[in-house]
Amino acid sequence: MIRLQLVPHDGLGPLKLGASRQALRAAAAALGLASGATHAESDAFAEESVQVDYDAAGRVRFIGVAPLPEVHRVTLAGLDCADTPAADLFRAVAAADGGSDPGFDPEGHLFPRQIVALWAADEQYDLIAPGGRRRSIWGQVGIGTPAYRDLVEKTRARDT
């Protein structure tokens, strides 16, 4: 099992925001993350559980991770993303982001200062379920660049 730390404004272990597509793929291969689907602006690794999006220049603008504890364990704010209830991880990230309390929303939230995205909290993502009791876990936890934040904000503004 691979253990990685998701660090805002930096990356997921050796997978770095701002890296070229070639450098990101090499780093993923060195970790043993099997490559998956590739598209014009994205790559997936480790059974599609690691998603990487690229900007028009081919640089990493977003790294998102879905829980897959038998392959990788990812921490954010010192908490295991696959083993921390969504509301608890939300509170930890919100405290680190500062500013006003955005209020927990299981659909997701993008913390603008850290550019940390928490998407789709649901019990189906609790693949560990201690004692068989499923908890609401984030379906994807990710980090992005300022360009990613701007893209999300623009999309939200258009959709409202």
Side-chain angles (χ1 to χ4, degrees), residues 67-145:
L68 190 60
E70 65 275 8
V71 175
H72 54 68
R73 296 299 282 270
V74 174
T75 59
L76 173 65
L79 299 171
D80 184 330
C81 297
D83 196 24
T84 302
D88 295 345
L89 186 58
F90 180 91
R91 281 191 292 276
V93 176
D97 204 57
S100 63
D101 179 5
F104 177 77
D105 180 355
E107 294 297 316
H109 188 78
L110 175 66
F111 293 91
R113 290 185 180 100
Q114 298 174 90
I115 317 175
V116 169
L118 304 176
W119 301 124
D122 196 282
E123 291 179 0
Q124 70 176 320
Y125 301 117
D126 189 354
L127 304 176
I128 298 171
R133 292 184 45 208
R134 290 190 176 263
R135 306 154 297 168
S136 183
I137 300 289
W138 291 107
Q140 186 181 67
V141 177
I143 55 171
T145 64

Side-chain angles (χ1 to χ4, degrees), residues 16-37:
K16 300 298 184 183
L17 293 171
S20 70
R21 191 172 209 162
Q22 180 180 8
L24 188 285
R25 287 176 173 173
L31 279 174
L33 296 175
S35 63

Side-chain angles (χ1 to χ4, degrees), residues 27-75:
L31 279 174
L33 296 175
S35 63
T38 62
H39 302 282
E41 292 185 357
S42 67
D43 285 330
F45 303 92
E47 300 177 39
E48 315 299 314
S49 66
V50 177
Q51 173 193 348
V52 179
D53 291 326
Y54 303 94
D55 62 20
R59 298 280 176 191
V60 176
R61 71 175 167 201
F62 177 77
I63 303 169
V65 185
L68 190 60
E70 65 275 8
V71 175
H72 54 68
R73 296 299 282 270
V74 174
T75 59

